[in-house]
Amino acid sequence: MGETAAANHHRHQHHHGHQVFDVASNDVVPTQPAFKCFDDDGRLKRTGTVWTASAHIITAVIGSGVLSLAWAIAQLGWIAGPAVMLLFSFVTLYSSTLLSDCYRTGDAVSGKRNYTYMDAVRSILGGFKFKICGLIQYLNLFGIAVGYTIAASISMMAIKRSNCFHKSGGKDPCHMSSNSYMIVFGVTEILLSQVPDFDQIWWISIVAAVMSFTYSAIGLALGIVQVAANGVFKGSLTGISIGTVTQTQKIWRTFQALGDIAFAYSYSVVLIEIQDTVRSPPAESKTMKKATKISIAVTTMFYMLCGSMGYAAFGDAAPGNLLTGFGFYNPFWLLDIANAAIVVHLVGAYQVFAQPIFAFIEKSAAERYPDNDFLTKEFEIRIPGLKSPYKANVFRVVYRCGFVVSTTVISMLMPFFNDVVGILGALGFWPLTVYFPVEMYIKQRKVEKWSTRWVCLQMLSAACLVISVVAGVGSIAGVMLDLKVYKPFKSTY
C-alpha cells in the first residue's frame, strides 16, 4: 500500500487567506487580489490537474504491495490470478468514482469541502461511523508499520545474504536471523519519529516515488531476463500444484493471495486528500474520475507485468517477496540496488503512516488532560550543528519510542511478510475501499432504499465483505501454520 506521503503533504500546506473585517457589516471582505489566488474556502488556490492527481495516485499505490504479487499469482494460477487482479482493479475504480462525489458535501460544485477521508465520513455519515472508521484506519496504519518493518529487515538481510553468497561462490547457504535487522530498523525509526512533522518534508514523497519505481522496475526486468534465460513460461493454469502443498494449505494460500492483491490496491484512504489538491473549474470530481481511470489503468498494467513475469520466471517456487527470493544470484549488484531502494523507501514510508497516529494520540491526550505538565512541558535541547534548539517533550518521546518498539516486537514475533500483508489487505479492503464509499454515496445522492441501484450497491458491498473475510481467515491461518514451523524470535531464512 502506498505512500500517503504525497497526499499528506498537501494537507498541512494550505494557508488561510488574508482577510479584512468590514466593521459595519460584520462580513469578511477579501482584500482585492484574493479572488485570484484563493479558493472558495479561503485556502491558497489549488493548482492540481488530471496529471498531477494521477501521478500522486500512482506513487501512492505502487509501493511494497508489488513485491508479493508474483507469489499471489502463483497461488491462483494463470487464469484466476490475472482475473482476480482485474476484479480488484474494477472494484477500486468503481469505489473511487463513488468517493470522488463525496469530496463536497451536498452540491458537487459548491458544497462544503472535506479535506480528508475521515472528514468526509464525519460530515456525511456522522459520529458513530466516524469512530469505527477511525479505529479501522489507525489499526491499518499500525499494521502497515509492522509490515514495513518486516519488509525492510528482509531486504537488508537479502543484501547481506547475496554478498555472502557471492563471496562463497554459492556454496554457503548463508542462513541468518532477521532480528538484528529489525532492531536496526526500529532504532532508525525511533530517531526519525522524534522529528516533528517528518511526513510533511516536501522531498519525502519524491524520494519514495523514485525508490518504488526503481525496485519495481528492477523486479520486472529481472523477471523478464529470467524468463528469457529459461526459454519457457513456467507456471500452470490452476496455480501451485497439490503435492508441493497439501490440499488445505492450497485453500488457505488461495485466500491469502486475495488479501495480498487487495493490499496492493488499497489506497482509497488517500483519494480525498489528493482531490483536495485539484483546481476547479471543472468540478473536482470530474478531474478526479479521469485521474483514477488513468492511474488504475497504469498500475494494473504494471502489476500484471510484475506479477506475471515473476510467476513466469519462478513458477510454483515464486518467492513471497519477489526481490529477496534468491532466485537471481547475478547480477547481484542490481539486486542490492533494488533492496537498498526498498529499505530507503520503507524508512520514509514508515513515518508517513506513523505520524498520523502520533498526531491523533497527541491531540486526544491534550484534550483529555489539558493541564498536565507531563504532556505539555517542552524541554529545549541544544544539538550541535542545528541552529534552533530541539524541543523535546517527555510524553512525546516516551510514547513514540513505545510505538516503534511495539511494532518491532510484533514483527519479530511473526516475520512473515505475505501473511501480514494479507491480513492488512483484508482489514482495509472492505470497510475503507467499499463499505464507507458506498454508504456515503447512498447518503449523498439520496439513493432510494430497495431501488435497483441501491440493491446493486449493497450486493457489491456484500460480495466484497465475503472476499475480505475469506482473505483475513486465510492469512491468519497462514500465520498459524508458519508459527508451527518457526519459533518466535528465532526465525532464520
Side-chain angles (χ1 to χ4, degrees):
M1 171 165 62
E3 289 37 273
T4 34
N8 265 346
H9 270 356
H10 300 281
R11 195 197 306 166
H12 304 277
Q13 287 178 356
H14 313 295
H15 301 291
H16 290 279
H18 295 289
Q19 289 164 336
V20 181
F21 284 97
D22 180 348
V23 181
S25 65
N26 240 348
D27 281 337
V28 178
V29 180
T31 41
Q32 222 29 57
F35 61 87
K36 286 198 192 74
C37 44
F38 296 106
D39 274 329
D40 55 14
D41 57 348
R43 294 189 172 185
L44 275 184
K45 197 132 193 69
R46 294 162 173 80
T47 54
T49 60
V50 173
W51 298 110
T52 60
S54 308
H56 278 320
I57 297 174
I58 292 171
T59 48
V61 183
I62 294 183
S64 46
V66 180
L67 301 173
S68 60
L69 288 178
W71 183 88
I73 291 189
Q75 308 316 309
L76 298 166
W78 278 120
I79 299 174
V84 167
M85 247 180 211
L86 280 175
L87 178 90
F88 274 108
S89 64
F90 281 123
V91 171
T92 311
L93 181 62
Y94 186 63
S95 77
S96 309
T97 313
L98 299 184
L99 256 186
S100 62
D101 285 333
C102 302
Y103 172 58
R104 288 177 181 270
T105 309
D107 187 66
V109 181
S110 59
K112 183 187 150 311
R113 296 166 184 264
N114 299 308
Y115 300 113
T116 63
Y117 187 85
M118 303 284 279
D119 284 350
V121 174
R122 183 191 274 147
S123 71
I124 297 172
L125 298 175
F128 177 65
K129 283 188 178 159
F130 166 74
K131 281 187 179 139
I132 292 178
C133 174
L135 180 71
I136 292 170
Q137 202 175 329
Y138 290 122
L139 256 176
N140 214 14
L141 293 176
F142 179 81
I144 289 163
V146 173
Y148 280 4
T149 307
I150 297 172
S153 68
I154 293 178
S155 285
M156 289 189 242
M157 212 161 60
I159 295 177
K160 190 96 170 87
R161 278 186 73 179
S162 87
N163 293 344
C164 146
F165 209 80
H166 192 74
K167 267 201 197 83
S168 70
K171 292 189 183 65
D172 178 5
C174 304
H175 288 301
M176 50 182 77
S177 163
S178 55
N179 291 341
S180 48
Y181 298 95
M182 287 184 184
I183 293 168
V184 169
F185 185 80
V187 171
T188 314
E189 294 305 342
I190 286 180
L191 295 175
L192 288 180
S193 61
Q194 304 307 326
V195 181
D197 294 339
F198 185 82
D199 56 328
Q200 288 131 46
I201 299 173
W202 61 270
W203 45 266
I204 288 253
S205 69
I206 298 171
V207 172
V210 172
M211 292 301 163
S212 347
F213 279 110
T214 307
Y215 64 71
S216 310
I218 291 178
L220 178 58
L222 287 174
I224 294 172
V225 169
Q226 187 76 16
V227 170
N230 293 344
V232 288
F233 275 73
K234 289 191 175 177
S236 63
L237 296 179
T238 53
I240 196 162
S241 41
I242 293 173
T244 321
V245 290
T246 61
Q247 180 79 48
T248 43
Q249 254 179 330
K250 165 92 178 164
I251 294 169
W252 291 137
R253 283 173 153 216
T254 305
F255 290 167
Q256 196 178 324
L258 295 176
D260 284 3
I261 295 174
F263 178 77
Y265 277 108
S266 58
Y267 60 100
S268 51
V269 186
V270 204
L271 282 176
I272 289 188
E273 297 182 12
I274 293 175
Q275 193 162 345
D276 193 39
T277 64
V278 173
R279 63 161 177 243
S280 60
E284 295 91 352
S285 56
K286 280 210 181 86
T287 311
M288 208 52 192
K289 281 171 189 162
K290 270 199 201 105
T292 43
K293 280 196 189 79
I294 295 169
S295 53
I296 288 178
V298 172
T299 47
T300 303
M301 270 259 311
F302 191 69
Y303 280 178
M304 286 285 196
L305 278 171
C306 282
S308 312
M309 280 303 162
Y311 183 33
F314 291 122
D316 281 355
N321 178 339
L322 186 60
L323 288 171
T324 57
F326 251 59
F328 321 100
Y329 309 127
N330 289 318
F332 79 111
W333 51 270
L334 192 60
L335 265 185
D336 290 354
I337 293 174
N339 280 310
I342 294 179
V343 175
V344 172
H345 171 198
L346 295 182
V347 165
Y350 182 99
Q351 287 304 318
V352 171
F353 291 105
Q355 293 277 353
I357 301 183
F358 296 155
F360 171 72
I361 294 178
E362 268 156 40
K363 208 172 115 215
S364 32
E367 280 165 8
R368 199 165 289 175
Y369 312 104
D371 23 280
N372 186 329
D373 267 356
F374 179 61
L375 298 185
T376 51
K377 196 170 179 171
E378 300 271 345
F379 294 95
E380 294 200 340
I381 302 173
R382 291 213 163 275
I383 299 175
L386 290 182
K387 287 188 196 75
S388 54
Y390 171 67
K391 290 189 170 57
N393 156 313
V394 180
F395 174 64
R396 190 165 61 224
V397 172
V398 169
Y399 87 80
R400 286 185 178 199
C401 287
F403 175 86
V404 177
V405 169
S406 65
T407 59
T408 311
V409 168
I410 292 176
S411 323
M412 288 162 136
L413 278 171
M414 36 188 244
F416 319 118
F417 180 64
N418 297 64
D419 304 340
V420 172
V421 163
I423 292 175
L424 292 174
L427 175 75
F429 176 65
W430 177 69
L432 301 175
T433 310
V434 186
Y435 175 75
F436 286 115
V438 164
E439 289 296 304
M440 286 196 281
Y441 182 80
I442 288 176
K443 191 91 181 272
Q444 177 90 317
R445 287 298 171 92
K446 305 191 171 45
V447 180
E448 289 285 310
K449 239 186 187 180
W450 302 111
S451 63
T452 320
R453 187 156 212 188
W454 187 87
V455 171
C456 289
L457 285 167
Q458 297 297 356
M459 276 164 63
L460 170 75
S461 189
C464 291
L465 172 61
V466 171
I467 292 176
S468 241
V469 168
V470 158
V473 169
S475 304
I476 291 170
V479 171
M480 295 301 167
L481 288 172
D482 283 342
L483 282 175
K484 276 186 191 151
V485 183
Y486 288 112
K487 296 283 170 282
F489 296 120
K490 287 210 178 54
S491 69
T492 54
Y493 288 89

